[in-house]
Amino acid sequence: MSAESELLDKIRDISRPVRIMHICGTHERTISKYSMRDVLPEEIEVLSGPGCPVCVTPEQEIDRAIALAESGVILTSFGDMMRVPGSNGSLMEARSRGADVRMVYSIDDAIAIAEKEPESKVVFFAIGFETTAPTNAAAVLRKPPGNFSLLLSHKLTIPAMNELIDEIEVDAFIAPGHVCTIIGIHPFDQFAEKGFPVIAAGFEADELLLSILMVLEQQRSGNHTVENAYPRAVKNEGNRRAQEMMEKVFEVIDSDWRGIGTIKDSGMKLRPEFAMYDAAVIYEDLINEKVKDISYENSASSLCRCAEILKGKEKPSDCPLFTKKCNPANPVGSCMVSQEGMCYNWYRYRGVEDA
Ligand code: SF4
């Protein structure tokens, strides 16, 4: 019998009604790829939270990146991010209009462009959670060339979870394994103290099933705590060196999340001593001038249900555009762009006909 079958048997034995939310695009990918929702008992509902970095980057921040790209800087970005719609198209569309937008695989690629083209201004659109932020902090500490800067749109996991527990019905959390490798498991203690089991989980199917079983066992025992189900990668205290670098380079600020709105203390900016690398400071007037007339009230994607999907309130199939006007080749909303997006994964793994 496979490890997955054994775990499923145990889950079925002690199954009880529970709504478990994960906060991780990679978890969603595994769950969708292996059709885990279809094999779990009906009483167990697995919700997808705002854990896909591309999905949660708001239109406003994409518009700011486009404003820079259309002002003559070289705007570098991860490939997925280039396809996410802002209020008036994506970075890819800005490139087709003549802006110099280049796909990179890392911040080091962007710095290499700046070194190779010293006459140009190069901006790296830095998105992602605690997982990617330390790499960007390390790059800043290495003192990149003066023609290089970062447009930051980092997000922090814990404040988003705090925002959600007041708004949605959820009983337990599966914590994102790669975020836990950086911040450890103790920042999640506050949720256990409020009665939510929290399990830090890896990304294989058996690791996710184990985390669901651990939630059920906590429910049965009534002892709600934070457990590390991913010890091969996660130390309980996290990666202290990465935490120190983030602390040194970034300060915490309120941040906008796509579909969710502003969440207190959920983002980061460069500390004033690194302002020479902060595109938001260097190009502040230029950006503000370009975006000042944009309204975000009636955007072209007003039918898009990403906002509700990112909060675990709806499924992709609840969206009237799903598989019709919106698909991976022609994404209307951010959740259909990335391999970590809920809509993308539903489209890819559930099949159009039974979506
Ligand atoms: S299917 Fe497309 S339009 Fe609908 S919620 Fe998903 S990303 Fe948005």
Side-chain angles (χ1 to χ4, degrees):
M1 186 185 277
S2 70
E4 289 85 355
S5 301
E6 278 184 39
L7 287 161
L8 268 172
D9 282 350
K10 287 181 184 167
I11 287 170
R12 289 184 185 118
D13 269 357
I14 59 170
S15 171
R16 59 191 61 213
V18 62
R19 287 164 63 88
I20 307 172
M21 173 172 273
H22 71 74
I23 315 282
C24 176
T26 314
H27 281 162
E28 181 54 42
R29 189 150 189 240
T30 302
I31 289 163
S32 293
K33 182 175 180 182
Y34 294 102
S35 302
M36 286 173 62
R37 291 187 178 89
D38 295 337
V39 296
L40 286 167
E42 272 180 8
E43 307 97 300
I44 299 174
E45 193 173 354
V46 180
L47 310 173
S48 178
C52 157
V54 165
C55 305
V56 301
T57 304
E59 290 173 318
Q60 297 92 308
E61 291 177 6
I62 295 167
D63 289 345
R64 289 157 63 81
I66 290 172
L68 277 179
E70 294 188 329
S71 301
V73 310
I74 299 173
L75 196 291
T76 60
S77 167
F78 297 134
D80 279 351
M81 200 63 237
M82 292 173 60
R83 301 176 58 231
V84 179
S87 66
N88 185 24
S90 63
L91 280 163
M92 192 76 92
E93 288 167 291
R95 183 163 80 173
S96 69
R97 294 194 294 267
D100 194 345
V101 178
R102 303 188 195 179
M103 188 184 85
V104 292
Y105 292 101
S106 71
I107 188 170
D108 290 337
D109 290 350
I111 292 171
I113 293 170
E115 288 169 341
K116 201 171 163 193
E117 303 185 36
E119 304 305 318
S120 302
K121 306 285 188 197
V122 179
V123 175
F124 177 61
F125 191 19
I127 67 153
F129 293 94
E130 294 91 336
T131 329
T132 50
T135 308
N136 294 336
V140 169
L141 290 171
R142 288 197 302 272
K143 298 187 178 159
N147 62 330
F148 175 82
S149 58
L150 298 95
L151 185 64
L152 281 190
S153 183
H154 282 309
K155 308 290 178 210
L156 299 172
T157 306
I158 301 291
M161 289 173 65
N162 262 317
E163 182 85 4
L164 287 176
I165 58 172
D166 291 335
E167 201 180 323
I168 56 164
E169 281 179 38
V170 62
D171 303 307
F173 287 101
I174 295 176
H178 38 29
V179 169
C180 295
T181 62
I182 303 299
I183 67 173
I185 65 169
H186 297 306
F188 297 91
D189 288 345
Q190 58 188 292
F191 302 105
E193 285 160 13
K194 290 174 184 159
F196 298 94
V198 182
I199 314 293
F203 303 98
E204 302 298 331
D206 61 331
E207 292 172 321
L208 280 162
L209 288 172
L210 175 63
S211 69
I212 291 169
L213 179 61
M214 290 166 80
V215 165
L216 295 174
E217 284 172 342
Q218 284 198 29
Q219 274 199 319
R220 185 166 62 174
S221 71
N223 179 24
H224 297 158
T225 184
V226 183
E227 290 186 272
N228 182 359
Y230 192 30
R232 65 191 167 90
V234 173
K235 290 184 191 157
N236 288 358
E237 71 278 15
N239 182 332
R240 287 262 162 75
R241 176 85 183 107
Q243 292 165 20
E244 284 164 13
M245 283 194 295
M246 284 202 294
E247 175 66 25
K248 191 166 188 179
V249 173
F250 302 126
E251 61 185 46
V252 171
I253 55 170
D254 299 349
S255 186
D256 291 332
W257 293 56
R258 195 174 189 118
I260 297 176
T262 304
I263 302 180
K264 187 167 172 43
D265 295 338
S266 69
M268 291 189 288
K269 63 176 283 197
L270 286 161
R271 290 190 180 280
E273 55 268 41
F274 300 106
M276 66 285 215
Y277 296 120
D278 190 342
V281 172
I282 300 167
Y283 304 106
E284 182 179 7
D285 293 343
L286 184 155
I287 293 172
N288 288 343
E289 177 60 27
K290 285 260 189 185
V291 303
K292 70 178 185 338
D293 294 327
I294 298 176
S295 164
Y296 294 96
E297 283 186 7
N298 294 307
S299 71
S301 57
S302 57
L303 288 175
C304 171
R305 307 302 299 160
C306 273
E308 304 307 310
I309 289 167
L310 285 169
K311 288 185 272 195
K313 290 182 171 177
E314 291 188 9
K315 300 188 289 289
S317 50
D318 295 323
C319 172
L321 305 184
F322 182 63
T323 74
K324 299 178 180 78
K325 284 191 175 168
C326 184
N327 55 61
N330 182 28
V332 175
S334 62
C335 307
M336 188 59 92
V337 174
S338 161
Q339 293 188 359
E340 298 190 13
M342 181 83 161
C343 295
Y344 175 94
N345 281 303
W346 273 52
Y347 189 96
R348 167 132 194 233
Y349 294 115
R350 291 185 74 87
V352 173
E353 64 285 349
D354 73 342

